[in-house]
Amino acid sequence: MHNPPYFTDDTIVFGILMILIGFVFYTSSKEEGFWKKFYGIVPALLMCYLLPSIFSSLHIIAPEWTELNDQNEVIEKSSKIYFVASRYLLPAALVLMTLSIDLKALINLGPKALIVFLAGTLGIILGGPIAILIVSIFSPETVGGADFDAVWRGLSTLAGSWIGGGANQAAMLEIFKYNQEKYGGMVLVDIVVANIGMAALLYGIGKKEIINKWLKADNSSIQELQDKVSSYQESVKRNPSLSDYMIIGAIAFGAVGFSHWGSQVLADFFNSTFESVRDPKSFISTFGGTFFWMITLATIIGIALSFTKLKSYEGAGASKIGSIFIYILVASIGMKMDLSAVLDNPGLILVGIIWMIIHFIIIFLVAKIIRAPYFFIAVGSQANVGGAASAPVVASAFHPSLASVGVLLAIFGYVVGTYGAILCTFLMEIAAPK
């Protein structure tokens, strides 16, 4: 938590984020000169992520801060932009981006996506204890601690977050009882390292041809899906009218409304019907969360509508509007990244970075063995580490029609997250210095 940033009004902050996104798109559209060369190295999507993080690091804007009220009491404040982007714009984007999906071609992507995703999960499970062993060689106090202050207990929450998501992270805190006064430091490591990992993946998208060549990857199934969607887009392409835009808006936010309603009904049903869902230690506790059901329902609605005549609204720019929502989400995620936070707890940040490097090494090695393309690496990694809020962002950077792949893998991550994190934590306990 910090003192208030220069701008605390979300209306102003949202305007700043939109200006930054607009600047990136304006400069990246240049066909010659400096910007042409610059975006040949740095992907535009990465810039939409980094610029808000720079503004946050300079304390111009901030995701959260503290203020004193009239009674000199400390009050925690936060921006609602990420919440709105992830709860309203993300499900809307998922519906619009899957509207033109070819489900058969999606299934034809085969088992490689799941294999690479599980390799990423294995990388998280093994990365934690290996990182502890490495750091304990030169700084045992960084990864030591006793009883409920033991660092391995705190790192269990990172394992939960990086395999499943927020619900799994909360489950690890409940199971291993880490000292909650120190928990904020682990949340910081989670945010900083996960965002560095996402930035690396976004950078790799700009180099995907080189990476795929090194992997000797078979990219044919992904290319086939992209070609089918692109061909369909061309076949129904038209100059959109106001009616088209209003109907696209109705499809998107009607689905958002239904997803929110359905998520509340389903979460309440599972919580009231199954005692194990109410137990945060259970792997099916995920089914008691509204965010899980909201993302799941939005994806199902999008796929269902792809079998109807509403699919033709892709020709009026449905997926482009979905992409706008995704870029706003990217900027709101970037805003949560304070680059100066790396200096707050360098020891634990180093543990997290080593952990993430091991995750990348394992996922790249498995991808190379099975000749899986970089798309599966990027989405498989982010489905583990970032979950359903950011996996479709990375997937859609390859092609809007691929966003649903990220969601499906992230949902699978929610299910395996708790038990994968428990296994990782037991290994970390063994590796931790006594």
Side-chain angles (χ1 to χ4, degrees), residues 55-314:
F55 271 59
S56 185
S57 302
L58 295 173
H59 214 49
I60 298 170
I61 58 178
E64 52 190 22
W65 61 92
T66 56
E67 290 182 0
L68 292 176
N69 63 12
D70 295 337
Q71 287 76 41
N72 282 331
E73 297 170 330
V74 176
I75 300 175
E76 295 182 357
K77 297 265 189 167
S78 63
S79 168
K80 299 295 187 292
I81 292 177
Y82 173 74
F83 178 85
V84 171
S86 61
R87 267 59 176 182
Y88 302 112
L89 299 187
L90 174 59
L94 292 175
V95 172
L96 295 179
M97 291 169 128
T98 53
L99 199 60
S100 61
I101 193 69
D102 186 317
L103 189 60
K104 184 179 178 182
L106 187 64
I107 294 170
N108 286 342
L109 290 177
K112 286 186 178 180
L114 186 59
I115 293 170
V116 173
F117 166 80
L118 291 174
T121 303
L122 180 65
I124 298 297
I125 292 172
L126 298 180
I130 293 172
I132 286 177
L133 286 172
I134 292 172
V135 174
S136 65
I137 294 170
F138 56 87
S139 182
E141 67 279 2
T142 300
V143 289
D147 299 325
F148 296 113
D149 288 335
V151 171
W152 63 265
R153 292 182 188 272
L155 293 176
S156 72
T157 64
L158 265 70
S161 176
W162 289 355
I163 297 175
N168 307 90
Q169 185 176 31
M172 292 304 101
L173 187 62
E174 176 75 19
I175 292 168
F176 293 103
K177 308 293 184 184
Y178 183 59
N179 184 346
Q180 295 209 12
E181 291 182 6
K182 296 185 176 183
Y183 177 54
M186 293 299 169
V187 174
L188 177 67
V189 176
D190 180 10
I191 294 170
V192 171
V193 178
N195 279 280
I196 290 173
M198 184 174 174
L201 292 173
L202 294 177
Y203 179 77
I205 292 172
K207 308 292 181 184
K208 61 185 176 184
E209 288 83 7
I210 299 171
I211 297 172
N212 283 335
K213 188 175 180 181
W214 176 76
L215 292 168
K216 297 180 180 177
D218 177 12
N219 204 37
S220 58
S221 58
I222 296 171
Q223 196 59 50
E224 180 187 351
L225 177 57
Q226 291 181 200
D227 291 344
K228 279 190 174 183
V229 173
S230 297
S231 297
Y232 179 76
Q233 288 172 337
E234 285 300 315
S235 69
V236 295
K237 192 174 182 179
R238 62 181 185 271
N239 187 23
S241 64
L242 177 60
S243 293
D244 287 331
Y245 285 132
M246 294 306 291
I247 293 170
I248 288 172
I251 293 169
F253 291 102
V256 170
F258 181 82
S259 297
H260 275 258
W261 172 75
S263 67
Q264 291 166 8
V265 171
L266 287 167
D268 289 345
F269 169 77
F270 276 90
N271 278 313
S272 60
T273 308
F274 302 102
E275 186 177 342
S276 55
V277 172
R278 297 193 297 273
D279 180 4
K281 301 177 184 179
S282 169
F283 82 100
I284 62 171
S285 62
T286 296
F287 295 109
T290 55
F291 185 77
F292 167 82
W293 287 114
M294 179 196 72
I295 294 298
T296 304
L297 289 173
T299 306
I300 291 171
I301 291 169
I303 292 173
L305 292 179
S306 72
F307 291 98
T308 71
K309 290 183 179 179
L310 292 177
K311 182 176 183 176
S312 65
Y313 281 94
E314 175 56 33

